[in-house]
Amino acid sequence: MLYTAKEVQKLVKSKLGGYKFIIVSNREPYIHMHTPSGVRVKTPAGGLTAALDPLMQACGGTWVAGGSGDADRENVDKKDRCRVPPGKPRYILKRVWMSKEEVDKFYFGFSNQTLWPLCHNVFKEPIFKRSFWDGYKHSNALYAEAVGKELKGVKEAFIWFHDYHLALAPKMVRNGAPNKQKLVLAHFWHIPWPTWNTFMLLPWAEEVLEGMLANDLIGFHLHPYCINFLASVENVLGAKVDYKALTVRYRGRTIQVKPFPISVDFATIDKLARRPEVRREMKRVRAPQYIPYKYIGVGVDRIDYTKGIIQRFRAIDRFLEKYPKYQNKFVFVEAGAPSRTRIPAYMKLNEEISELVDEINWKYMRGYWKPIIYIKEKLDSDKLFALYRTANVCIVSPVQDGMNLVTKEFISANVDRSGVLIVSKFAGATEELKDAIVVNPYDVEGFADAIMDSLEMPLKERQKRMKNLRAAVRKNNVFKWLADFISEAAKLTS
Ligand code: GDG
């Protein structure tokens, strides 16, 4: 069966009909910004909001999220709510307000300098700082309070928390709810879960796990992350776990843990990628004044040390050195959306990337040709899809990634079925994408050879692989992810 937004809408109506539907995440799906031409509404770069907005548009409900735009406060009512999407409102966005200091501790601090490196296991030492932890607790309480207000007078509600920013909020919401209120709490953790002995490094490991065990259902992308989570609650809290059934017994309650690999809206991307605007942009990319060379490679990332951008550029360097016939013929376009730029590790990474790009371009540049074009901004979707369609190869090389949606977006946009995907063995998505070329981003030689293989691959082989990849993403699309998660949550309502 092919899942669509309609199917999910029907499912929510039939299984969670009487329940108030609430999503809680740090990132908001729509951001009001001041611009010289008045207030504009933007959507953020990031996988989470892109995956959930179609659900909320189809089903309605309330999305509780942190206000992040400089015009956000002027565009809500007395209860901090506005209706979105603007122009064709389908659901309520309720904003939670935090001061710069609160955001520094909660978002830039504990979420992104403690939990993010801890869960990704990438040789980036997590920062264990008391003030970050206090700020995290405080901000989780703000979210829980906002949810509590939305629950006033409600008999039954399904509350879906998202990600590592909100590990404590579920327990706070449950403790604050009146006894007779029927709540189903679920959490989807969008990043990996580390092995239990890594997780134990966290001085507040117990509190984080207890916060999460207030949920009835906890989802991860992959089975190994579920197993790591079970081992953590077993070893840190002494909870009783069943590794086969993927359940936890804790303080008289049973919590179901389960893998749900997230995906993209295949049909919409496929449709958007065929727009005349995209075709026009493809011509512009190929024009003599831009990239008139035989081969184009593309990388699309939030600039983050988990995404393996440095490793990718080192492999490109080695590839051009080892296979010099590709000099003057191959151009790699990196679209890197700046991210978390207030954090020192990210400032350093940005510098490192720029320096490496300069070094490689200087080493090889000849006349007008240079091997790497680094675009330091979030591209609009026409440009993004044009790049996906023009590229001979898309390279996704994280050193660790929960899933990675760029892989699936590239495949969905590849309507010409001629592109090749190179993907790291450390991306969650690799498990499903059998017809991609798999690399270890740390293995420079193997990676350089894989780039060569991707460019030399005969058209027939490329078409066969891309056909299979597209069939896989079409079937396991974002609506299947939503339907699977909601069906599992609905089992817990009886
Ligand atoms: C987390 C997990 C998991 C990036 N650069 C540009 C751009 N993007 C968009 C992509 C894609 C999104 O950002 C990135 O999604 P990812 O899945 O790759 O990564 P994270 O933001 O780290 O997300 C991840 C995800 O949650 C969902 O569960 O898959 O593992 O880390 O949509 O297209 N978009 C545009 N220009 C850019 O330059 N337009």
Side-chain angles (χ1 to χ4, degrees):
M1 161 172 187
L2 208 55
Y3 283 92
T4 63
K6 278 239 154 64
E7 303 295 336
V8 179
Q9 191 178 12
K10 270 193 244 159
L11 189 78
V12 171
K13 279 225 169 91
S14 72
K15 307 245 176 172
L16 293 169
Y19 281 70
K20 180 168 176 142
F21 199 92
I22 302 179
I23 280 185
V24 197
S25 72
N26 167 60
R27 176 79 70 236
E28 58 177 343
Y30 295 92
I31 308 170
H32 285 91
M33 302 286 287
H34 285 293
T35 72
S37 50
V39 172
R40 282 275 161 85
V41 182
K42 292 191 181 168
T43 53
L48 185 150
T49 48
L52 292 171
D53 182 60
L55 168 75
M56 291 302 276
Q57 289 209 31
C59 304
T62 301
W63 188 328
V64 178
S68 59
D70 58 16
D72 271 1
R73 279 181 195 265
E74 298 140 52
N75 286 284
V76 290
D77 64 13
K78 278 192 200 130
K79 290 183 164 171
D80 302 317
R81 304 197 283 199
C82 59
R83 294 185 58 77
V84 290
K88 115 176 156 197
R90 293 274 167 74
Y91 64 94
I92 289 168
L93 169 62
K94 181 184 177 87
R95 289 178 169 138
V96 175
W97 307 116
M98 276 175 276
S99 67
K100 282 185 187 162
E101 206 193 342
E102 286 168 336
V103 171
D104 265 344
K105 290 178 182 151
F106 160 67
Y107 178 75
F108 292 112
F110 196 79
S111 298
N112 285 318
Q113 294 189 72
T114 312
L115 285 179
W116 177 269
L118 184 76
C119 290
H120 281 92
N121 241 334
V122 283
F123 317 120
K124 183 72 65 190
E125 198 175 337
I127 296 178
F128 300 120
K129 210 164 150 178
R130 180 77 213 198
S131 62
F132 284 178
W133 169 243
D134 289 340
Y136 186 79
K137 276 199 288 194
H138 168 75
S139 294
N140 268 252
L142 295 179
Y143 280 92
E145 195 190 335
V147 173
K149 282 187 186 152
E150 292 299 310
L151 289 176
K152 287 238 164 74
V154 170
K155 275 198 197 130
E156 299 172 321
F158 169 64
I159 307 165
W160 191 2
F161 296 94
H162 284 269
D163 234 350
Y164 57 100
H165 312 91
L166 298 171
L168 307 177
K171 186 173 171 189
M172 294 168 173
V173 168
R174 199 176 279 288
N175 286 348
N179 274 343
K180 55 184 188 324
Q181 202 167 42
K182 169 106 179 108
L183 296 185
V184 175
L185 304 189
H187 207 131
F188 191 79
W189 193 263
H190 289 256
I191 64 176
W193 191 274
T195 57
W196 68 269
N197 43 359
T198 297
F199 189 73
M200 259 180 63
L201 300 177
L202 182 69
W204 308 283
E206 282 181 28
E207 287 101 314
V208 166
L209 292 173
E210 287 223 340
M212 290 184 70
L213 289 184
N215 288 294
D216 301 294
L217 171 66
I218 302 174
F220 294 95
H221 292 302
L222 304 182
H223 187 260
Y225 308 158
C226 297
I227 297 295
N228 286 349
F229 179 79
L230 293 182
S232 300
V233 295
E234 183 178 43
N235 286 290
V236 177
L237 297 179
K240 201 163 168 265
V241 305
D242 182 334
Y243 285 98
K244 237 179 152 186
L246 297 179
T247 52
V248 183
R249 278 295 292 169
Y250 191 62
R251 299 194 188 221
R253 294 174 48 253
T254 301
I255 298 98
Q256 180 73 58
V257 178
K258 228 182 147 171
F260 301 93
I262 201 168
S263 190
V264 296
D265 182 351
F266 178 91
T268 300
I269 298 176
D270 174 280
K271 197 167 123 201
L272 291 176
R274 295 174 197 266
R275 275 155 49 96
E277 289 84 345
V278 172
R279 282 206 296 274
R280 263 202 296 283
E281 180 59 24
M282 288 167 73
K283 276 203 187 122
R284 194 186 71 86
V285 172
R286 279 307 197 175
Q289 356 23 320
Y290 199 27
I291 316 180
Y293 303 98
K294 186 163 181 196
Y295 302 106
I296 297 185
V298 66
V300 177
D301 312 82
R302 261 190 324 96
I303 296 297
D304 194 294
Y305 50 78
T306 59
K307 302 289 179 186
I309 302 164
I310 296 276
Q311 287 77 2
R312 188 180 313 163
F313 290 161
R314 288 205 182 112
I316 290 170
D317 181 9
R318 183 67 189 125
F319 157 72
L320 292 169
E321 201 172 64
K322 199 168 173 184
Y323 305 104
K325 69 169 188 177
Y326 288 99
Q327 293 180 24
N328 218 9
K329 290 210 177 88
F330 174 80
V331 172
F332 189 79
V333 183
E334 173 65 35
S339 169
R340 307 175 190 170
T341 44
R342 281 187 46 65
I343 297 176
Y346 287 74
M347 291 176 199
K348 196 161 156 257
L349 175 70
N350 274 297
E351 273 172 31
E352 269 171 27
I353 292 176
S354 296
E355 278 168 21
L356 189 57
V357 170
D358 270 357
E359 189 188 310
I360 297 171
N361 279 342
W362 179 248
K363 181 168 164 189
Y364 296 101
M365 67 203 252
R366 203 189 298 170
Y368 182 63
W369 176 78
K370 60 177 182 177
I372 301 177
I373 297 175
Y374 178 24
I375 307 171
K376 297 182 193 180
E377 63 188 56
K378 188 195 166 203
L379 299 180
D380 66 41
S381 67
D382 288 342
K383 286 197 171 133
L384 186 69
F385 295 148
L387 265 182
Y388 282 151
R389 281 188 61 181
T390 316
N392 302 76
V393 57
C394 174
I395 307 183
V396 180
S397 54
V399 290
Q400 195 69 242
D401 211 338
M403 174 55 59
N404 192 292
L405 293 178
V406 172
T407 50
K408 297 183 179 184
E409 286 169 3
F410 170 69
I411 292 166
S412 311
N414 218 270
V415 293
D416 316 290
R417 296 185 181 77
S418 56
V420 179
L421 174 66
I422 294 183
V423 65
S424 156
K425 66 201 294 190
F426 307 118
T430 307
E431 200 174 83
E432 294 167 68
L433 305 177
K434 305 280 182 235
D435 283 86
I437 298 182
V438 179
V439 295
N440 175 348
Y442 295 110
D443 169 16
V444 188
E445 289 303 316
F447 199 162
D449 292 346
I451 298 175
M452 199 273 293
D453 290 345
S454 74
L455 303 182
E456 299 272 306
M457 192 184 283
L459 179 65
K460 267 217 159 129
E461 169 80 10
R462 282 186 272 142
Q463 286 172 328
K464 193 185 90 198
R465 285 179 182 239
M466 188 46 80
K467 195 172 156 228
N468 292 341
L469 289 168
R470 284 172 64 79
V473 180
R474 180 185 285 119
K475 182 162 169 269
N476 296 318
N477 62 28
V478 70
F479 300 110
K480 161 108 174 38
W481 174 74
L482 289 167
D484 286 350
F485 193 92
I486 287 164
S487 303
E488 193 63 41
K491 286 187 198 159
L492 309 167
T493 56
S494 46

